Amino acid sequence: MVRRFGTAALLALALLALAACGPYEFKGATLNPPKPMADFTLPAHDGGQFRLSEHRDGLVLVYFGYTYCPDVCPATMYQIKRAMEELGDQADAVQVVMITVDPERDTAEQLGSYVTNFDARFLGLRTTDPDALDVILADFGAYYTIEEPEDGGNDYSVTHTAAVYVLDGGDLVEVFSYGTTGEEMASDLKHLLRSRQR
Amino acid sequence: MAPPVEKHALRWVVSLAFLAIGLGVAAYRGAALHEELRQYVIVIPAGTAERLAAGDTTGAPPHSFELILGVRDVLVIQNEDSAWHQVGPYRVAPGHTLQQRFSRPGTIRAACTITASQQVEIVVREREGLFTLP
C-alpha cells in the first residue's frame, strides 16, 4: 500500500514538473532575426566614453529620453530601476544607458544626476551633434521631435520614442514598449542572461 | 488509533487527490500551450512604403483597423519591405519579424505606416473559454 501511495505521489510530481516545462514566453516584443546594430561612441555623463562594441559580453538597455520629461521618462526609468533591483547580482551583466534627445538643456551634469538618481550604475549619454544622434536613432528605428514652445521660450517638450531597447551581444533582440513593468523586464532579461550561459 | 481499513482508505484518497491535481495541472498547461498557438500575422509586402507614398492604398486597410486579440495571443509583424514600418508602438526594421505576446487587456491607439489613415487600434481582451488564463 505504501509503495502504491509513493508511486502515485511520484507520478503526480512528474506530471507537475512536465506541466511546468514549456517555451519561455517573452513579455517584450522580440525581433527575429536580431538586428545587428552599428557601433557608436558617445560621451558619458561621468566624463568617459561609452562605446557600444565594448559591451558585447553583456546586455545593454538603451533608452532615448530627456530629463525635463514630465511623465514618460521618469516612469520608464523607474521601471528599469525596478528591473535592475529584481535582477540582483545579475544586474552586473546589464548596462543601462539613457541617451538624451535634449542635449541643449540636458547638460552632462544634469543628465548624470538624473540617471544616477535611479541607479548609480546607469549611464547618461549626450552628444551635441544632431547628425550623430540622428544616425543612432535611425538605426534603432527611434525618433524625436522638439515641440515649439508656446511662449517662444525654453519651456518646450520633446516627443520621442518611449521604448526600451535590449541589445544582446551588440544585436537588438527585444523592445519593451512603454508600460512594461520592471518585473516583466527582469523576467525577460533573466531569460536572456540564462540563454547566454548555455 | 484508526483501524487499518480506515488508514488504507485514507491513503487511497490522498493518492487519488495527488493524481487528480497532477492531471488537472497538466491539462491546464496543455490548454495553455494550445492557446499559445494563436498568432495574428501581419505581413508587410515589399514596396508598401513606396506605394503608400505615391498615394496607392491598394491592399492597405483604408481606415484604422481593430485587432482583437486575446490575452496571451501573439501579434506577429513581418516586414518584407525595404523601409521601417510602424504598427502602433511597434517599429519593425526591414527584413525583420517582430513578435509581441499580450499579457493584459487594453487598447492601444497609435500611428501606423501601413494604413491609409496612418492610425491603428489594437484591442486586447480576455478571451472567454473553459480555461480563462491568468
Side-chain angles (χ1 to χ4, degrees), chain A residues 5-188:
Chain A
F5 173 78
T7 306
L10 276 175
L11 184 61
L13 282 173
L15 283 168
L16 281 169
L18 191 68
C21 293
Y24 177 76
E25 294 175 0
F26 278 93
K27 315 296 184 290
T30 55
L31 268 188
N32 184 28
K35 182 180 182 298
M37 302 303 286
D39 193 17
F40 65 81
T41 304
L42 285 177
H45 78 263
D46 59 3
Q49 295 284 318
F50 175 88
R51 186 175 182 142
L52 181 61
S53 57
E54 290 174 357
H55 296 267
R56 291 188 191 280
D57 291 342
L59 304 179
V60 179
L61 264 57
V62 179
Y63 179 69
F64 297 95
Y66 67 114
T67 67
Y68 282 79
C69 180
D71 39 32
V72 172
C73 292
T76 304
M77 293 298 285
Y78 175 71
Q79 294 304 330
I80 300 174
K81 164 198 162 78
R82 292 278 305 275
M84 296 294 274
E85 287 171 352
E86 190 81 21
L87 283 172
D89 292 343
Q90 290 179 288
D92 293 340
V94 181
Q95 179 62 61
V96 176
V97 299
M98 174 173 146
I99 302 176
T100 180
V101 291
D102 185 17
E104 190 77 26
R105 289 183 298 185
D106 287 346
T107 62
E109 189 181 9
Q110 175 152 338
L111 185 59
S113 169
Y114 183 81
V115 296
T116 54
N117 191 41
F118 291 99
D119 189 309
R121 295 165 292 191
F122 289 4
L123 281 178
L125 308 182
R126 172 181 182 268
T127 177
T128 52
D129 179 354
D131 292 339
L133 181 58
D134 286 347
V135 167
I136 296 168
L137 283 158
D139 200 28
F140 280 87
Y143 62 89
Y144 77 103
T145 308
I146 293 180
E147 306 295 341
E148 283 293 319
E150 285 177 9
D151 59 359
N154 209 29
D155 188 19
Y156 55 85
S157 64
V158 183
T159 302
H160 62 93
T161 310
V164 179
Y165 299 90
V166 184
L167 276 59
D168 187 350
D171 294 343
L172 178 61
V173 295
E174 187 177 10
V175 183
F176 294 124
S177 300
Y178 176 65
T180 307
T181 66
E183 288 74 15
E184 289 169 334
M185 291 182 193
S187 174
D188 285 3

Side-chain angles (χ1 to χ4, degrees), chain B residues 50-61:
Chain B
E50 269 185 24
R51 276 199 301 275
L52 287 171
D56 178 5
T57 55
T58 311

Side-chain angles (χ1 to χ4, degrees), chain B residues 8-47:
Chain B
H8 290 168
L10 182 66
R11 280 178 182 157
W12 269 107
V13 167
V14 172
S15 301
L16 288 172
F18 263 117
L19 265 175
I21 290 169
L23 287 170
V25 172
Y28 179 85
R29 182 66 190 176
L33 287 172
H34 176 71
E35 296 284 337
E36 282 166 13
L37 296 175
R38 287 187 54 145
Q39 291 193 339
Y40 291 76
V41 182
I42 296 172
V43 179
I44 304 169

Side-chain angles (χ1 to χ4, degrees), chain B residues 73-130:
Chain B
D73 281 356
V74 180
L75 174 63
V76 180
I77 305 168
Q78 193 175 327
N79 185 4
E80 296 177 352
D81 200 2
S82 56
W84 282 81
H85 278 286
Q86 177 162 357
V87 180
Y90 311 110
R91 285 178 68 81
V92 191
H96 289 264
T97 299
L98 179 143
Q99 286 197 27
Q100 172 73 70
R101 183 184 301 277
F102 293 93
S103 58
R104 49 182 170 264
T107 300
I108 303 165
R109 290 184 196 90
C112 181
T113 58
I114 62 169
T115 57
S117 65
Q118 300 197 315
Q119 289 290 311
V120 68
E121 183 169 278
I122 301 170
V123 180
V124 183
R125 293 180 186 150
E126 287 281 6
R127 263 191 282 117
E128 292 174 6
L130 180 62

